[in-house]
Amino acid sequence: MKKIINQPENYVKEMLEGLYIAHPDLITYTGEDVHCLVSVNKKPGKVGIATGGGSGHLPLFLGYVGKGMLDGCSVGDVFQSPSAEQMLEVTKAIDSGAGVLYIYGNYNGDIFNFDMAAEMADFEENIRVESVVAGEDVASAGPSKEGEKNTRRGVAGIVFVYKCAGAAADKMMNLDEVKRVAEKAAANVRTMGVALTPCIVPRVGKPGFTIGEDEMEIGMGIHGETGIRRAKLEPADAIVDEMLEKVVADIPYVSGDEVAVLVNGLGATSLDEQYIVTRRIDTFLKEKGISVHRYYVGEYATSLEMAGFSISLLKLDDELKELLDAPAQTPFFVQL
Amino acid sequence: MKKIINQPENYVKEMLEGLYIAHPDLITYTGEDVHCLVSVNKKPGKVGIATGGGSGHLPLFLGYVGKGMLDGCSVGDVFQSPSAEQMLEVTKAIDSGAGVLYIYGNYNGDIFNFDMAAEMADFEENIRVESVVAGEDVASAGPSKEGEKNTRRGVAGIVFVYKCAGAAADKMMNLDEVKRVAEKAAANVRTMGVALTPCIVPRVGKPGFTIGEDEMEIGMGIHGETGIRRAKLEPADAIVDEMLEKVVADIPYVSGDEVAVLVNGLGATSLDEQYIVTRRIDTFLKEKGISVHRYYVGEYATSLEMAGFSISLLKLDDELKELLDAPAQTPFFVQL
């Protein structure tokens, strides 16, 4: 396991300590627990927004806490949910009396704990909590029958949900309105990923699966969940085309739509490659008559040192566009 | 070669096209050549600052062109200098009559071409050009005899030189003053790196060297230049201590000094690991009585998909601190 770490059991704690050292003007922790991260810039009367999830995905989740986005985040060990108690601590710290919105990815452990935290916040602390579960991965959609549970995993597209909801809260919308915005953003975002190499959870010390030296897996999840196709590595343009055909067919995105695009590196894929991908996305969407309002390119939701990338599209209306464009300042997302 | 690319010979061109697609509000190219990148925000009467170098180091070099930093950049193929003609094109495009400062890394190809471009700018275009060659790598210092040529390679610390000189030019200082600031920043920055894996130049298709599965190389350059020690991989804290002992002894940085710190991922090293490194840097510097004004953590100067990181320290005085803290907006460096 070739990582620059000390004892694997201290991995998350030491990472968090480094994060607080580097960004004291933006984030701190509440109480004694470094896993309970909150913004230092509390805005009176504003709806609080919290997220949470396992570590190993930086900048997700905790890197989006700051001005104009999230107010708090609880993080667990690598790829593990934080506890309901940790979520409650964050909830108490960020509530200003206007209530708290939870926005998190569609994973069973997170759902279980966030639901429990919301109940405790209501009964024990008299804090109103609403939740939006983001699940926008095209590869894990499953059979789409009316009324069925959403099986889609939440991946990089959640950053768009954070951004729009965060801007809505920053404009002092009330909890119902911020929830409505988050639900609208979540309903209009879709993501597809491809993995080229596995990653290693520090405590485990070896890859959880293998991918051949000449192989890729289309649709793999950010914890290594099985994708939809294992195949020989293809040229960048062919990979992008296959991914985008599935993405645009999903909602669907159609000619005349305007979207924001997030090109996300999974950890070990160079920025060069991400821009080569961006170039093809632009050509593809132009051919479909879909216009791009803005691009975000870089690492937004990683899987430790996995090689690969994902593409997320957010279909915009005037409201989402204005909220997406609003300023924000967090350790990993600065927009003027 | 597991990369998300098309034809290797189109690697740089396609990467650049993606970059222009993603950041039309900040950058464009001059003339017909995508390798000649300039800011779209030309400030009348301001000293122009240009850099240049080989591709494969994103965000270096071209990602720092924008408001408050650089005005132009020429880039060559992967790990290759751009031509003097390309540098001249950028020089002509960014000159506002106040002259142009070249800031670039200490590599023979770049020096040769930038010197030729400066001569052509003077004789053919009547543009006054001054140059600052940044070489701050501790590992390649060589024997330090008075008056001897600087053998240090320019690596991630050049970002500090860009930032301070860019802010000086943005404050409308004249060419001599901007050059003085760049030289002061360059003289006060030192960097040390460590590599864990090699990288693959796309046209070559295989690694230029190997590092054993349990090995690291302290002091390796960003093109794979030989470092100062090949050894078994050690815990993060031990690696940081060894690197920083050499860095602080170099200028030297002493008790009472105030510094800015740049923790730079070389490509495939996770942000988690970079923050674990940051935590130890903070402890180390505190023990030495050196205070940290601010941290920058992330990928600032990469070697394609190399795993590893570097640490750069910039010794601050009041002037450099103010210039470092000034706002900037480029594709990869946004500071409010």
Side-chain angles (χ1 to χ4, degrees):
Chain A
M1 175 175 53
K2 213 161 190 182
K3 289 180 191 276
I4 301 153
I5 61 174
N6 296 301
Q7 292 300 314
E9 55 270 31
N10 296 332
Y11 180 85
V12 172
K13 177 180 157 286
E14 292 183 355
M15 175 272 286
L16 289 167
E17 288 172 359
L19 202 74
Y20 295 119
I21 286 165
H23 307 287
D25 52 326
L26 290 171
I27 52 172
T28 185
Y29 52 97
T30 180
E32 302 291 310
D33 187 350
V34 291
H35 299 79
C36 300
L37 186 142
V38 295
S39 171
V40 299
N41 301 287
K42 193 167 178 175
K43 197 167 172 179
K46 188 182 88 67
V47 169
I49 305 182
T51 191
S55 292
H57 302 299
L58 276 185
L60 208 65
F61 302 84
L62 35 92
Y64 301 109
V65 173
K67 298 179 192 168
M69 259 173 120
L70 307 176
D71 301 285
C73 174
S74 46
V75 289
D77 209 339
V78 175
F79 296 176
Q80 291 177 14
S81 176
S83 70
E85 288 71 23
Q86 288 170 325
M87 294 167 179
L88 182 65
E89 282 308 305
V90 169
T91 308
K92 286 157 60 179
I94 67 172
D95 179 52
S96 290
V100 171
L101 179 67
Y102 292 163
I103 304 173
Y104 58 95
N106 190 18
Y107 296 95
N108 288 339
D110 294 321
I111 293 171
F112 180 84
N113 286 310
F114 270 112
D115 280 351
M116 195 187 303
E119 269 186 45
M120 290 192 290
D122 183 9
F123 289 128
E124 297 170 18
E125 308 292 336
N126 205 25
I127 300 170
R128 188 182 154 209
V129 173
E130 294 287 338
S131 295
V132 173
V133 181
E136 91 293 8
D137 176 38
V138 171
S140 47
S144 67
K145 289 181 197 140
E146 192 92 20
E148 247 188 23
K149 192 167 156 278
N150 181 11
T151 61
R152 297 173 189 274
R153 293 185 290 263
V155 282
I158 199 170
V159 176
F160 281 142
V161 186
Y162 293 157
K163 181 65 191 72
C164 294
D170 203 45
K171 284 178 189 296
M172 303 307 279
M173 289 187 187
N174 67 30
L175 182 55
D176 290 330
E177 282 289 284
V178 176
K179 185 184 182 188
R180 178 188 61 75
V181 164
E183 284 175 337
K184 180 160 76 169
N188 282 286
V189 65
R190 289 292 183 274
T191 298
M192 186 84 173
V194 61
L196 273 65
T197 65
C199 59
I200 299 177
V201 174
R203 279 183 199 264
V204 178
K206 58 183 185 195
F209 59 96
T210 55
I211 304 184
E213 237 327 286
D214 57 350
E215 285 184 329
M216 63 176 175
E217 184 159 324
I218 302 264
M220 176 165 275
I222 57 172
H223 310 95
E225 296 95 334
T226 303
I228 53 177
R229 193 167 81 88
R230 177 77 66 109
K232 297 275 177 213
L233 186 62
E234 291 168 15
D237 289 359
I239 300 172
V240 168
D241 289 357
E242 177 174 350
M243 290 165 72
L244 277 183
E245 283 293 355
K246 290 191 167 60
V247 171
V248 300
D250 191 292
I251 281 192
Y253 301 85
V254 297
S255 180
D257 280 351
E258 187 173 17
V259 298
V261 179
L262 178 73
V263 180
N264 172 56
L266 289 180
T269 288
S270 72
L271 269 167
D272 286 349
E273 292 162 83
Q274 294 172 43
Y275 280 105
I276 289 171
V277 162
T278 300
R279 171 185 170 277
R280 183 62 184 185
I281 293 171
D282 204 65
T283 304
F284 182 99
L285 293 177
K286 276 206 176 83
E287 283 169 6
K288 298 282 183 189
I290 298 166
S291 66
V292 178
H293 173 59
R294 67 190 303 166
Y295 280 95
Y296 296 91
V297 184
E299 293 183 354
Y300 288 86
T302 63
S303 297
L304 298 165
E305 71 287 350
M306 191 184 278
F309 70 97
S310 64
I311 307 171
S312 304
L313 302 187
L314 172 67
K315 188 191 288 207
L316 295 167
D317 61 11
D318 288 345
E319 182 183 44
L320 290 181
K321 201 196 295 193
E322 187 189 331
L323 295 169
L324 184 69
D325 288 346
Q329 187 188 11
T330 81
F332 295 102
F333 193 103
V334 185
Q335 188 168 283
L336 303 181
Chain B
M1 176 175 52
K2 213 162 192 182
K3 289 180 191 277
I4 302 153
I5 62 174
N6 296 300
Q7 292 300 314
E9 55 270 31
N10 296 331
Y11 180 85
V12 171
K13 176 180 158 286
E14 292 184 354
M15 174 273 286
L16 289 167
E17 289 172 0
L19 202 73
Y20 294 119
I21 287 165
H23 307 287
D25 53 325
L26 290 171
I27 51 172
T28 185
Y29 52 96
T30 181
E32 303 290 310
D33 187 349
V34 292
H35 299 80
C36 300
L37 186 141
V38 294
S39 172
V40 299
N41 302 287
K42 193 166 176 175
K43 197 166 173 178
K46 188 184 86 68
V47 169
I49 305 182
T51 190
S55 292
H57 302 300
L58 276 185
L60 210 61
F61 302 85
L62 36 91
Y64 302 108
V65 173
K67 299 178 192 167
M69 258 172 120
L70 307 176
D71 301 285
C73 174
S74 46
V75 289
D77 209 338
V78 175
F79 296 176
Q80 290 177 15
S81 176
S83 71
E85 288 71 22
Q86 289 170 323
M87 293 166 179
L88 182 63
E89 282 309 305
V90 168
T91 307
K92 287 158 59 180
I94 69 171
D95 179 51
S96 291
V100 171
L101 179 67
Y102 293 163
I103 304 173
Y104 57 94
N106 190 18
Y107 297 95
N108 288 338
D110 295 321
I111 293 169
F112 180 85
N113 286 309
F114 270 112
D115 280 351
M116 195 186 304
E119 270 186 44
M120 291 191 291
D122 182 10
F123 289 128
E124 297 170 18
E125 309 292 337
N126 204 26
I127 299 170
R128 188 182 153 209
V129 172
E130 295 288 339
S131 295
V132 173
V133 181
E136 93 291 9
D137 176 37
V138 170
S140 49
S144 67
K145 289 181 199 140
E146 192 92 20
E148 247 187 24
K149 192 167 156 280
N150 181 11
T151 60
R152 299 173 188 272
R153 294 185 291 263
V155 281
I158 198 171
V159 176
F160 281 141
V161 185
Y162 293 158
K163 180 66 191 70
C164 293
D170 203 46
K171 285 179 190 293
M172 305 305 281
M173 288 186 186
N174 68 29
L175 183 54
D176 290 330
E177 282 289 284
V178 177
K179 184 183 182 188
R180 178 188 59 76
V181 165
E183 284 175 336
K184 181 161 74 169
N188 282 286
V189 65
R190 289 293 183 273
T191 298
M192 186 85 174
V194 60
L196 272 66
T197 65
C199 58
I200 299 176
V201 174
R203 279 184 199 264
V204 178
K206 58 182 185 196
F209 59 97
T210 55
I211 303 183
E213 239 324 287
D214 57 349
E215 284 184 329
M216 63 175 176
E217 185 158 324
I218 302 264
M220 175 165 276
I222 58 173
H223 310 95
E225 297 95 335
T226 303
I228 52 176
R229 191 167 82 87
R230 176 79 63 111
K232 297 278 178 212
L233 186 60
E234 292 168 14
D237 289 359
I239 300 172
V240 169
D241 288 356
E242 176 174 350
M243 290 164 73
L244 277 183
E245 284 292 356
K246 291 191 166 61
V247 171
V248 300
D250 190 293
I251 280 191
Y253 301 84
V254 296
S255 180
D257 280 352
E258 187 174 16
V259 298
V261 179
L262 179 72
V263 180
N264 173 56
L266 290 179
T269 287
S270 71
L271 269 167
D272 286 348
E273 291 161 84
Q274 294 172 43
Y275 281 104
I276 289 171
V277 162
T278 300
R279 172 185 169 277
R280 184 61 186 185
I281 293 170
D282 203 65
T283 304
F284 182 98
L285 293 177
K286 276 206 176 85
E287 282 169 5
K288 296 282 183 190
I290 298 166
S291 66
V292 179
H293 173 60
R294 67 191 301 166
Y295 281 94
Y296 296 91
V297 183
E299 291 183 354
Y300 288 86
T302 63
S303 297
L304 298 164
E305 71 288 349
M306 191 183 278
F309 70 97
S310 65
I311 306 170
S312 302
L313 301 187
L314 172 67
K315 188 191 289 207
L316 296 168
D317 61 11
D318 288 345
E319 182 183 45
L320 290 181
K321 201 196 294 193
E322 187 188 332
L323 295 168
L324 184 69
D325 288 346
Q329 187 188 13
T330 81
F332 295 103
F333 193 104
V334 185
Q335 187 168 283
L336 305 180

